Amino acid sequence: MHSLYIMLISVHGLVRGEEPELGRDADTGGQVKYVLELARALSEDPRVRRVDLLTRLVRDSRVDNSYSKPSEQISERACIVRLSCGPRRYLRKEALWSYLDVFVDQVLQHIRTLGRVPDIIHGHYADGGYVGAQLARLLGIPFIFTGHSLGRVKRARLLERGLSEERIERRYNIATRIDAEEFALDIAGAVIASTQQEIDEQYRIYENYRARQMTVIPPGLDLGIFYPPRWGIFQPAIWHELKRFLVNPKRPMVLAISRADERKNIETLVRAFAGNDDLRKRANLVILAGNRDDVGRMERGSKRVLTDLLLLIDKYDLYGQVAYPKHHTPEDVPYLYRLAASSHGVFVNPALTEPFGLTLLEAAASGLPVIATEDGGPNDIIAKCRNGLLVNPLNPEQMGDAIWTVIEDRHLWRRYSRAGLRGVERHFTWKGHVRSYLPKAINLMKKKYYSRNLMKRHVSKLPTVERVIISDIDNTLIGDQEGLRQLMHLIESTSPKVGFGIATGRHIRSAVEVLKKWRIAPPEILITSVGSEIYYGPKLVKDVSWERHLNYHWKPDRIRHLLKRWPGLKLQPLVNQRHYKISYYMEPDQGPTRRDIVKLLRQDGLKAKVIYSHEAYLDILPIRASKGLAVRYLAMKWGLRPENILVAGDSGNDEEMLSGDILGVVVGNYSAELEHLRESPKVYFAESAHAGGIIEGIEHYHFLSTNGDQRHANGVIEKEPAL
């Protein structure tokens, strides 16, 4: 019955299952609560075997040590997995973009350690969406995206407030965020939104919006934690904390709970309360705006919000009428809702915009009527629950009047209280969420195609392979049809734990064409353009991490300018030129030697790799590029031991690939430029040519041995350790 493995990705913020620090900062709020409760709820369904919630590992003296633990079990079948990503210290989400590809690679290592590829990946927010989409492309598995809040909407609102494009970009990296959201929407098989308004007014403005991929599944609520007041006298610790602030603590409570964030619009609520004489005379205002020790040492945005709050309280002389405790625990929050309900008060969400409004559900489940912003998710919640009023978040007078209307009319208050309880139980539970979620996920798994481009699903076996054979194409893999047939049969008839790849000087289109011509099935790995590009599987998914790695000190225009007047060098056709490869025909008797070119580039301060092959071809690559470095990069990315990789080649551009701890095979028809490798302990020179030489090398190393024993070039038999 237990079969599904679901991976949730929520990169930023501080995520822990025990006493989550919700409201600590702008990155540790509703999304953290959402993913924790979703993970637990999914894990309780009998169709689910495992749920991993992946987030960032943080080692920082400013935060609790719990965030440095690699894993945390949060239910019997759900676990938080923390992975390193960038600096050890805690970073706000806007500073994480340049480290997300590292996070992708860390996830691949986690999957290899686990030994199972997820059935579904679900990315949260733009950063988790980017990571999830990259993984879905690499692994060929379905992807679900939930944006929570979207960059295009945020940019528009910041511009409306008068911020310049430059300031917005500098502070929020908004263009990068929007690009990540577009990418996630492009790859996603389904997008889960909390409200229809979120789809109509936010997702719809994206270029990659598709109506058929949109699904509204509201988040749920734990009704074992949030429930209405019960008879009996009980005064929780937070009640005593509130009484320190209030002259008459038994008055109806106007409660607001949010982060200290400008978007939460706490200032307007204070003005609404202060400007309504009835509220000032007959109610109290209680504001929970996160936890704080010293306002002066807080993050800039939170400090500004709290400073303005304190100044407004002083300006309107609200002392004795407003409580704003410095600290509270997650356990205090349900009690606060019940205290407010016991006092016949109301809950207010005054946010400028609210993507969903989880606090509104918590209040409703506690029997507490609500007043909420008319912008966003509260429209759907109040339409279903009929337990309060919507207001313009920028109109303090209207907000104050609405609050007083509900408090003053006891009949209306009771009607809203009862309706909220019924509405939450009917529409907003996590069990109900999972009942809608899992059929959607299972349906995605059954689909033949997984993206808008109608790409066939091809689940990669790279995360679970134990050995890989990588061969050059020309004069190595091809050249002997019968030998090739025997080689491919040998690989395909062996354990699925063996992968196959090619490494070639050809560009990707040419490589695919020649593989088709020789009837070679699409390999799991394609290293092309002399190691300057890496692709995966029949979908030809490009490895973007490798591209970014190669960009270091790469100056192709300067290199072309420097070499354009040398005799004996002629640029190859445009089709052979790539962004990270400059290719020449080279006349060895007329032009410079390879050593001459290396010297010239160094003298001009240019860092590049010069590869000469077949006594006719010259390739200039980034200093970090080559077939050999590409193979070693793949070993690190996919968690493969060097001795579990066998490479085969025939010419100079294979030399680096054949060196080191990787097992090398030089086929019998090799070029003279490889002769000096004959003394290398882990390079085997085959007598047979082409694919027959690869088979000979496989047999020499016992590379496909089923008993786990593997012979190395020095003749020693070693037991291969289990992965």
Side-chain angles (χ1 to χ4, degrees):
M1 196 69 171
H2 306 307
S3 60
L4 292 178
Y5 171 27
I6 300 173
M7 178 179 285
L8 309 178
I9 300 175
S10 184
V11 180
H12 68 261
L14 295 168
V15 183
R16 68 182 184 192
E18 187 175 348
E19 296 186 0
E21 298 184 271
L22 303 177
R24 174 193 172 106
D25 57 34
D27 292 351
T28 310
Q31 179 181 326
V32 171
K33 184 179 180 69
Y34 181 108
V35 295
L36 285 169
E37 295 189 353
L38 175 60
R40 291 190 180 104
L42 287 170
S43 73
E44 291 170 3
D45 191 282
R47 291 166 288 185
V48 177
R49 182 181 185 86
R50 180 184 179 108
V51 180
D52 281 349
L53 169 54
L54 273 55
T55 190
R56 183 168 174 262
L57 186 143
V58 177
R59 291 189 175 95
D60 191 329
S61 60
R62 299 172 299 171
V63 304
D64 191 78
N65 188 54
S66 57
Y67 302 112
S68 67
K69 296 179 179 177
S71 65
E72 177 188 351
Q73 204 73 29
I74 57 175
S75 74
E76 184 180 349
R77 297 198 297 273
C79 182
I80 297 172
V81 176
R82 301 186 182 92
L83 303 172
S84 298
C85 172
R88 293 183 173 187
R89 67 183 184 278
Y90 183 48
L91 297 174
R92 60 187 182 90
K93 58 181 176 289
E94 291 83 5
L96 289 174
W97 290 109
S98 58
Y99 308 115
L100 293 184
D101 288 315
V102 176
F103 196 90
V104 171
D105 292 346
Q106 291 293 313
V107 177
L108 295 174
Q109 294 291 329
H110 168 67
I111 292 171
R112 169 163 289 279
T113 300
L114 196 63
R116 179 178 178 181
V117 176
D119 297 297
I120 290 283
I121 292 178
H122 187 168
H124 294 265
Y125 191 76
D127 48 13
Y130 174 84
V131 170
Q134 288 286 18
L135 289 165
R137 290 171 73 244
L138 287 168
L139 302 175
I141 56 180
F143 171 56
I144 297 172
F145 177 51
T146 296
H148 293 278
S149 66
L150 296 175
R152 288 192 186 276
V153 178
K154 177 165 185 170
R155 182 170 64 181
R157 291 191 171 124
L158 291 172
L159 288 170
E160 287 173 5
R161 289 169 51 190
L163 275 70
S164 67
E165 288 271 11
E166 294 77 13
R167 184 178 174 189
I168 294 170
E169 187 61 36
R170 187 168 59 249
R171 175 70 177 83
Y172 297 105
N173 283 327
I174 206 79
T176 302
R177 174 179 170 181
I178 291 170
D179 286 346
E181 291 163 345
E182 290 283 11
F183 174 56
L185 288 170
D186 188 33
I187 300 301
V191 175
I192 293 179
S194 297
T195 67
Q196 187 61 43
Q197 186 268 355
E198 191 179 349
I199 293 173
D200 294 340
E201 298 185 15
Q202 298 188 46
Y203 286 105
R204 191 181 291 274
I205 64 178
Y206 278 74
E207 295 170 7
N208 286 320
Y209 166 81
R210 288 166 286 155
R212 68 179 181 275
Q213 87 189 130
M214 299 290 160
T215 303
V216 176
I217 310 179
L221 203 66
D222 187 343
L223 299 182
I225 296 175
F226 298 98
Y227 51 83
R230 295 169 179 170
W231 294 107
I233 299 173
F234 173 68
Q235 294 182 340
I238 192 66
W239 169 244
H240 298 288
E241 180 67 17
L242 298 182
K243 287 199 298 182
R244 294 197 307 118
F245 292 87
L246 304 173
V247 172
N248 189 347
K250 294 185 178 181
R251 286 178 175 178
M253 187 188 300
V254 180
L255 175 64
I257 301 175
S258 72
R259 302 189 310 273
D261 188 306
E262 289 179 345
R263 294 166 294 180
K264 299 305 180 182
N265 199 32
I266 299 171
E267 178 183 334
T268 300
L269 174 59
V270 175
R271 294 184 188 277
F273 184 89
N276 188 294
D277 290 338
D278 291 316
L279 288 176
R280 293 195 63 162
K281 291 175 183 176
R282 298 177 58 183
N284 290 319
L285 178 60
V286 176
I287 298 173
L288 251 67
N291 287 296
R292 63 186 185 276
D293 291 314
D294 181 352
V295 173
R297 299 181 63 184
M298 296 184 74
E299 184 267 332
R300 183 172 54 185
S302 299
K303 179 165 62 176
R304 182 167 54 247
V305 170
L306 290 169
T307 300
D308 289 346
L309 170 64
L310 297 174
L311 291 173
L312 284 172
I313 290 170
D314 187 75
K315 175 181 178 178
Y316 293 112
D317 195 14
L318 296 177
Y319 298 108
Q321 299 170 284
V322 180
Y324 41 98
K326 288 169 70 75
H327 299 101
H328 69 277
T329 67
E331 290 75 21
D332 290 330
V333 174
Y335 286 123
L336 275 168
Y337 288 122
R338 290 194 283 274
L339 286 171
S342 298
S343 73
H344 287 87
V346 297
F347 178 77
V348 184
N349 181 331
L352 295 173
T353 182
E354 180 58 69
F356 180 64
L358 195 58
T359 52
L360 296 174
L361 296 184
E362 294 171 352
S366 305
L368 183 62
V370 301
I371 308 296
T373 176
E374 63 186 3
D375 192 325
N379 287 276
D380 284 20
I381 292 174
I382 290 182
K384 286 183 170 71
C385 293
R386 302 181 181 278
N387 65 325
L389 301 173
L390 297 170
V391 295
N392 181 345
L394 299 177
N395 189 331
E397 183 178 352
Q398 182 197 26
M399 190 181 294
D401 289 344
I403 295 169
W404 176 244
T405 295
V406 177
I407 289 176
E408 189 262 344
D409 187 337
R410 286 299 180 93
H411 175 74
L412 180 64
W413 189 96
R414 284 192 292 271
R415 179 156 61 88
Y416 282 162
S417 176
R418 292 166 184 164
L421 293 170
R422 289 193 302 269
V424 167
E425 193 164 357
R426 184 178 303 164
H427 301 289
F428 299 103
T429 64
W430 278 113
K431 281 189 177 180
H433 184 99
V434 171
R435 278 197 300 270
S436 299
Y437 182 106
L438 284 179
K440 187 75 177 177
I442 292 168
N443 186 51
L444 285 179
M445 292 167 57
K446 293 177 180 177
K447 285 188 175 181
K448 185 177 181 181
Y449 301 100
Y450 82 101
S451 81
R452 68 179 305 176
N453 299 317
L454 297 182
M455 290 182 174
K456 277 191 177 182
R457 285 192 59 207
H458 170 82
V459 179
S460 172
K461 64 181 183 180
L462 281 176
T464 55
V465 298
E466 295 175 357
R467 302 180 191 177
V468 172
I469 297 169
I470 297 176
S471 173
D472 180 32
I473 295 180
D474 296 284
N475 298 315
T476 303
L477 184 64
I478 63 175
D480 174 5
Q481 189 69 60
E482 178 58 24
L484 175 62
R485 186 192 66 76
Q486 292 178 18
L487 172 65
M488 299 314 295
H489 175 73
L490 177 64
I491 294 173
E492 290 165 5
S493 62
T494 313
S495 164
K497 296 289 186 180
V498 177
F500 175 64
I502 57 97
T504 178
R506 291 175 178 261
H507 58 77
I508 184 63
R509 192 187 317 159
S510 173
V512 170
E513 287 174 356
V514 75
L515 291 174
K516 286 181 179 178
K517 180 180 178 181
W518 284 78
R519 298 180 181 178
I520 301 169
E524 293 291 328
I525 298 168
L526 298 94
I527 301 170
T528 62
S529 299
V530 203
S532 62
E533 296 174 2
I534 299 175
Y535 299 86
Y536 299 105
K539 301 188 302 290
L540 302 180
V541 176
K542 183 177 280 191
D543 193 319
V544 294
S545 296
W546 180 240
E547 281 198 335
R548 290 175 182 168
H549 178 73
L550 297 186
N551 205 43
Y552 176 77
H553 284 305
W554 178 235
K555 309 288 184 184
D557 292 338
R558 284 181 57 191
I559 293 171
R560 278 189 286 264
H561 177 76
L562 191 65
L563 298 181
K564 69 180 180 180
R565 294 185 179 178
W566 276 72
L569 287 180
K570 180 183 177 183
L571 279 168
Q572 293 182 25
L574 190 61
V575 69
N576 292 334
Q577 308 298 333
R578 311 295 286 179
H579 183 71
Y580 292 105
K581 179 175 78 79
I582 307 170
S583 295
Y584 293 89
Y585 295 120
M586 185 169 173
E587 296 287 345
D589 298 332
Q590 299 178 26
T593 65
R594 176 189 174 279
R595 189 179 298 275
D596 291 333
I597 295 173
V598 170
K599 183 178 180 181
L600 179 67
L601 293 174
R602 285 176 180 168
Q603 288 174 344
D604 208 62
L606 292 168
K607 297 180 183 294
K609 185 161 291 185
V610 180
I611 297 176
Y612 180 52
S613 58
H614 297 288
E615 300 182 344
Y617 305 114
L618 182 77
D619 294 304
I620 312 292
L621 306 173
I623 193 68
R624 292 178 171 179
S626 71
K627 288 184 184 179
L629 289 175
V631 170
R632 284 159 179 80
Y633 163 85
L634 289 167
M636 290 188 291
K637 184 183 186 87
W638 296 98
L640 292 163
R641 298 172 181 272
E643 61 268 25
N644 287 351
I645 301 173
L646 183 146
V647 298
D650 71 291
S651 70
N653 68 17
D654 301 316
E655 179 178 342
E656 190 174 334
M657 180 172 74
L658 292 161
S659 305
D661 288 335
I662 289 171
L663 306 182
V665 177
V666 176
V667 293
N669 54 302
Y670 67 93
S671 298
E673 56 221 22
L674 294 182
E675 182 64 34
H676 69 281
L677 293 179
R678 192 173 286 276
E679 301 303 318
S680 299
K682 290 187 179 179
V683 177
Y684 174 72
F685 277 71
E687 294 184 6
S688 302
H690 308 299
I694 302 175
I695 296 173
E696 189 180 322
I698 291 172
E699 293 172 348
H700 169 79
Y701 291 117
H702 290 190
F703 192 71
L704 300 182
S705 172
T706 57
N707 63 8
D709 289 341
Q710 185 171 312
R711 179 165 51 182
H712 290 240
N714 57 12
V716 178
I717 301 295
E718 296 180 359
K719 185 71 175 178
E720 180 183 312
L723 289 179

